[in-house]
Amino acid sequence: MLTRTLQISTADGEADAFAAFPGEGGPHPGVLMYPDGFGIRPVLRDMARELAGHGYYVLVPNPFYRNGPTPVLDLPEHIGEEARPAIFAKLMPMIEAHTTERVLRDADAYLRFLTTQPEVGAGPVAVTGYCIGGLLATRTAAAHPGQVAALAAFHAPVGAAGPDDLQRLTARVHFGHAESDLTPAALGELNQTLDAAGVGYTSEIYPGTVHGFTMSDTDAFDPAALRLHWDRLLPLLAGA
């Protein structure tokens, strides 16, 4: 397994990023992985390595590079409930400033960079994301229907993308929702929108989970739900 720290030129500056990919064979299918709001850190690097071990070139950009390089936030090794108020006091202004226009400008740059790496094969790519990163992934896939063949988002506010974005999706989709984030009624409304758009998808609530269930450095972590996440993600990517 090879890893690199990279710089991606965007319309607004230089975004740092982490990449993981197999050291042999290739070229490999490309995956753009958006982190959660806490950003690139050991758990995200581990997840990128895990996915790369299945034969993918995985690129994890720093969405908040305008606020500084990784680590943008000073985080404890374990993000417990007592640490969250101070972290979110700094995080939320960055999220609120990250407009759809910014997201799409950055997505153009990330996809252009990913698809021109010598280790990445020709053809469409996949996009995945966690928490706010899942919303960024959804907007990226909606804006690049011919280029993104698979989209996965976990414990993400994907409904905030809006019906227009959801109706533009042509990728195969999996949305894995936290039980604390989405009621069954809200899930039904979201899935009705996807049905009406003719999207090929699975969209489900992971039982007993709370927001952030994939992240092993938080109190929200659920090992069984993380395994389910891999059980859903890997077949989706393989079929893209």
Side-chain angles (χ1 to χ4, degrees):
M1 183 66 56
L2 299 178
T3 62
R4 291 177 183 164
T5 299
L6 303 164
Q7 294 290 320
I8 302 173
S9 295
T10 77
D12 297 333
E14 294 287 316
D16 57 295
F18 175 80
F21 52 96
E24 298 179 351
H28 311 286
V31 179
L32 176 60
M33 176 186 283
Y34 285 104
D36 64 357
F38 298 138
I40 302 172
R41 58 196 192 282
V43 66
L44 262 297
R45 295 185 183 97
D46 288 346
M47 293 176 78
R49 291 187 189 97
E50 175 79 16
L51 184 52
H54 293 274
Y56 298 96
Y57 183 108
V58 184
L59 180 68
V60 187
N62 169 15
F64 303 122
Y65 67 88
R66 294 172 182 83
N67 298 94
T70 301
V72 179
L73 297 172
D74 184 17
L75 299 172
E77 289 186 11
H78 183 84
I79 304 169
E81 288 302 316
E82 70 285 350
R84 285 177 175 266
I87 294 171
F88 274 88
K90 298 177 181 178
L91 176 60
M92 290 311 298
M94 292 192 293
I95 291 176
E96 292 166 358
H98 201 48
T99 62
T100 301
E101 291 75 16
R102 278 189 177 185
V103 171
L104 297 183
R105 288 200 303 272
D106 289 349
D108 290 345
Y110 300 155
L111 289 174
R112 183 169 56 249
F113 182 90
L114 176 61
T115 56
T116 55
Q117 296 310 292
E119 300 87 359
V120 175
V125 301
V127 182
T128 185
Y130 303 88
C131 183
I132 189 65
L135 176 58
L136 304 187
T138 301
R139 285 180 166 152
T140 298
H144 297 270
Q147 196 170 10
V148 176
L151 161 66
F154 301 93
H155 47 84
V158 293
D164 289 346
D165 275 348
L166 296 176
Q167 290 168 5
R168 284 197 291 268
L169 293 173
T170 60
R172 297 175 67 246
V173 174
H174 175 72
F175 291 150
H177 310 284
E179 192 172 278
S180 65
D181 284 347
L182 203 66
T183 66
L187 175 66
E189 292 177 5
L190 172 64
N191 292 353
Q192 286 176 5
T193 301
L194 296 170
D195 286 333
V199 176
Y201 75 95
T202 56
S203 175
E204 61 185 310
I205 294 173
Y206 286 24
T209 56
V210 297
H211 182 75
F213 59 78
T214 59
M215 297 295 148
S216 62
D217 62 351
T218 75
D219 287 348
F221 180 55
D222 185 323
L226 178 62
R227 289 193 296 272
L228 180 58
H229 143 279
W230 289 119
D231 289 344
R232 297 292 190 262
L233 178 59
L234 294 174
L236 178 80
L237 299 184

